[in-house]
Amino acid sequence: METRAVLGEVLSGGSLRVPLQEQSTGVRLVGIEALVARNGGSVLKQRVFSGLPLVARPVQDKKAQDARRRHGHLNIVANAISTSTAPGSAPAAPKEETDVRVQRITDDTCSLRSCSLERLKFEIEYGLKRGTTDNSYLIKGENHTALIDVPDQAFSKGFVETLKSTIDLKDIKYLVIGHISPKRMESLTTLAEALPEGGSPIEIFCSNPAAQQLRGALPSEYLGKYYNINVVKSDECLDLGGGHKLQFLLTPTPRWPDGMCIYDPANQLLFSNKLFSAHVCGESGLDDEGWEEYAEDWRFFFDCMLSPVPKQAKAALEKLPIVAQFSVPSYSGRQGLAVLKADVQYVLSSVLSALKLPIDKAAFLSSGITQGEDLVCAAICPLHGPVVRSSVTELVREYRVWTEKKLKEVEEATIAVIYASAYGNTAALAQAISRGITKAGVGVESVNAEICSSEEITSIIKACNGFVVGSPTLGGHMPTPMKDAMGVILNDSDARSKPCGVFGSFGWSGEAVDEMEQLLKDGGFSFAFPALRCKFKPTESTLQTCEESGTDLAQEVKKAILKQKRSTGGAQYAAASNVEQAVGRVVGSLCVLTAKAGDAESAMLASWVSQASFVPPGLTIAVAKDRAVEGLVLTGSKFALSVLGQGKSGPVAKQLLKPFKPGESRLDGLQIKQTDSGLNVLSDAIAWLECSVKSRIETGDHWVLYATVDSGKLEDAQTLTAVHQRKTGARY
Ligand SMILES: Cc1cc2nc3c(=O)[nH]c(=O)nc-3n(C[C@H](O)[C@H](O)[C@H](O)COP(=O)(O)O)c2cc1C
């Protein structure tokens, strides 16, 4: 069995630097957190600090200290820890995934799809539960072969085995990394160990932030032996021969500062990394089933990961002037023959597009009919989900629309989400809080304190309407970048009037959240929700609480803005109009919707419920976008609907309409029973139904769910359904 143990160093600032070393202990330790969780935090501390059997010594290295000041502790700590284990993982060893599929994209390019039908980890963006893929790509140029990206540690072994059966490993000359994280390092070490002895090192090409991570995390003896690291600048090229002049396009965001896209003009392929990704594992690996099949997955990924960073999303899209290989041409600036040429192109495009030719054949046919600076794409090859070739036009257009919409929201009101995270746990909490904020229609300014200057944080704090701060606890404290950010916040006298919140992941003592909370309390700040503390990795219920906290904060900000608008007057904020009163005459039956996902559950009172289909029995329910249960009724989820009886709905409505703290159970005090499939229904419902969400339609401020009924029971045939009468259509 593979065994690992930890050697620690104490950084002079008090935090730990813990490179991993091989040692035969007879136990496979998966990450420092597994070690901590199994032995108790004190054991790790004692081991690290006592030096037995682990060694502790202060770091004297001036270079390391300078780097720490520049980039914060976190990268260094995270990097030092990550090698072939899983530093940010939950105590249990991650399930080893072996399903790595090779998929031909063109004659000389293939994808290696590391497929998982389960979610790899608890992060908010895996909501749709259709599995996920971690995609790597292999491009065989005329002279050289390049591998693009490596998968999550769960796939390391399966990935390298599949790679070996696809290509002689000594032929991989280049490794282009569009995104790296501590959780992907194991794939690099596994690959290095599989390389034939005496070969030349693989030349890695990546962005500067990725290079820093790699240098910190890869065992130093690997550098020069297995890998050389080359930092690329935007628009630089790497020539593989045969027209494969890979063009690098840097697309950093706060969550992925190292983000980089790669364009291969030979096949008109854009390797888009996290952009245009979706957590879904389809059969074919291509999006040939059409836009509808994956639209929600793409949208959900965007909502979770890019909605909180619309400025950076826009900047990235501007660097990627993508035009689908076969698309309607632009007529602007064309005259005479040029118009004719555009028409020919249009006809040709339509025909070729309908033919669904293999990508490389189509690239050959379409070359020369496109123009200018455009990044002509036969397909977009993302890090997760299907290769996009049928829906390039739709997906790129929608990305632009979604981004513009989010930028508009930011103009109206923003909440700054300022955080640092070494292993991604606090980042996952930040992402869930951000989703809670954006689903309430308020913009997010996401700030990774490790890479943001004090000046930037100062101006973001000045401009925001509320803020949250998040930090891991490392060495008993919040790390330096968060200390600096807190200094900026406390120095801004206007910030005091803005609602705020604190959150953070910790291992055993969790001082960072207490420190931030205390500083803000002492400074007279007011909290929109109780501090969110999470031991190591969040569970679904923790993420649900974070999302609800974000929504609460956003609603507080919206209320303050509305109050201000009302006080400055305007007829638009007057009493309900006649039209609204007319709309109010449309009524629905009173029901309770209950849903679960993992250890998270929620409920809501629903009256916008209507039958929508006889065969199969189906119904629609409108769920407000900022409703807590919204994240649990995504497409593919199951929920129960309890139909309330006339004269019986009062106490239920009273319970469900009261304000709830984030994470508080909504069903407390109500009589409930469980259906055979484990869903909660109200004991005195006159009927209940178990339903599956088939699709969701975005309708203004609600999502309309279309769900089919899987099972149900009429419990009380005598009592009529409670109907909710209203005075206005402006409220329920
Ligand atoms: C070097 C090191 C030092 C740590 N020190 C502490 C500590 O003093 N107290 C604590 O509660 N957790 C400590 N932890 C655990 C982290 O807080 C925990 O792993 C947390 O989930 C990290 O969050 P992040 O993924 O956002 O970085 C430490 C972890 C490491 C690796």
Side-chain angles (χ1 to χ4, degrees), residues 49-83:
F49 287 107
S50 72
L52 277 175
L54 312 166
V55 185
R57 58 188 145 83
V59 173
Q60 303 295 352
D61 180 356
K62 175 152 184 335
K63 253 193 181 163
Q65 288 178 359
D66 286 350
R68 190 155 51 89
R69 274 239 58 80
R70 255 182 292 121
H71 308 296
H73 292 198
L74 299 191
N75 270 334
I76 293 177
V77 174
N79 296 342
I81 290 168
S82 54
T83 60

Side-chain angles (χ1 to χ4, degrees), residues 453-566:
S453 67
S454 295
E455 291 72 35
E456 283 170 289
I457 296 179
T458 305
S459 74
I460 287 166
I461 281 294
K462 280 228 167 320
C464 72
N465 303 71
F467 66 90
V468 279
V469 280
S471 175
T473 299
L474 299 173
H477 295 285
M478 67 180 121
T480 305
M482 279 315 297
K483 275 189 194 143
D484 293 347
M486 289 302 295
V488 169
I489 293 166
L490 295 169
N491 271 334
D492 184 328
S493 52
D494 292 340
R496 223 152 262 127
S497 61
K498 303 179 182 182
C500 67
V502 295
F503 65 100
S505 170
F506 68 98
W508 48 92
S509 52
E511 291 87 345
V513 175
D514 301 339
E515 284 171 1
M516 292 187 300
E517 191 180 28
Q518 198 56 49
L519 284 169
L520 292 171
K521 249 187 207 157
D522 293 347
F525 288 75
S526 61
F527 296 94
F529 56 82
L532 297 164
R533 294 177 176 84
C534 164
K535 203 159 184 187
F536 292 125
K537 199 182 237 186
T539 64
E540 301 216 5
S541 109
T542 313
L543 292 178
Q544 172 78 6
T545 305
C546 287
E547 195 176 306
E548 288 178 29
S549 304
T551 303
D552 280 5
L553 174 55
Q555 282 167 342
E556 197 167 322
V557 162
K558 272 167 59 175
K559 249 188 240 154
I561 291 172
L562 193 65
K563 197 168 157 199
Q564 205 195 344
K565 279 185 182 163
R566 281 210 176 109

Side-chain angles (χ1 to χ4, degrees), residues 35-61:
L35 175 67
V36 173
R38 284 195 207 125
N39 298 317
S42 56
V43 177
L44 171 70
K45 279 207 257 184
Q46 178 219 318
R47 281 186 166 193
V48 171
F49 287 107
S50 72
L52 277 175
L54 312 166
V55 185
R57 58 188 145 83
V59 173
Q60 303 295 352
D61 180 356

Side-chain angles (χ1 to χ4, degrees), residues 617-730:
L619 37 91
T620 58
I621 303 181
V623 178
K625 284 183 175 168
D626 60 357
R627 194 72 54 227
V629 79
E630 181 273 338
L632 303 180
V633 285
L634 303 169
T635 299
S637 317
K638 294 197 181 296
F639 66 86
L641 201 65
S642 303
V643 184
L644 303 180
Q646 258 181 17
K648 291 180 165 184
S649 63
V652 178
K654 193 168 166 220
Q655 160 71 13
L656 286 171
L657 293 177
K658 70 174 200 183
F660 289 94
K661 290 199 191 81
E664 193 181 342
S665 167
R666 280 160 163 76
L667 296 174
D668 272 0
L670 295 177
Q671 289 284 324
I672 53 167
K673 60 181 183 185
Q674 290 212 329
T675 63
D676 286 348
S677 50
L679 287 167
N680 292 322
V681 290
L682 297 193
S683 300
D684 65 349
I686 59 165
W688 55 262
L689 306 167
E690 286 181 309
C691 308
S692 299
V693 183
K694 293 293 163 193
S695 59
R696 302 184 3 145
I697 312 162
E698 191 173 11
T699 56
D701 48 13
H702 282 63
W703 289 101
V704 173
L705 318 182
Y706 169 64
T708 50
V709 179
D710 305 324
S711 63
K713 192 168 176 206
L714 175 65
E715 299 275 11
D716 173 356
Q718 307 309 317
T719 310
L720 292 177
T721 303
V723 176
H724 181 49
Q725 303 288 348
R726 306 181 297 163
K727 289 208 172 70
T728 165

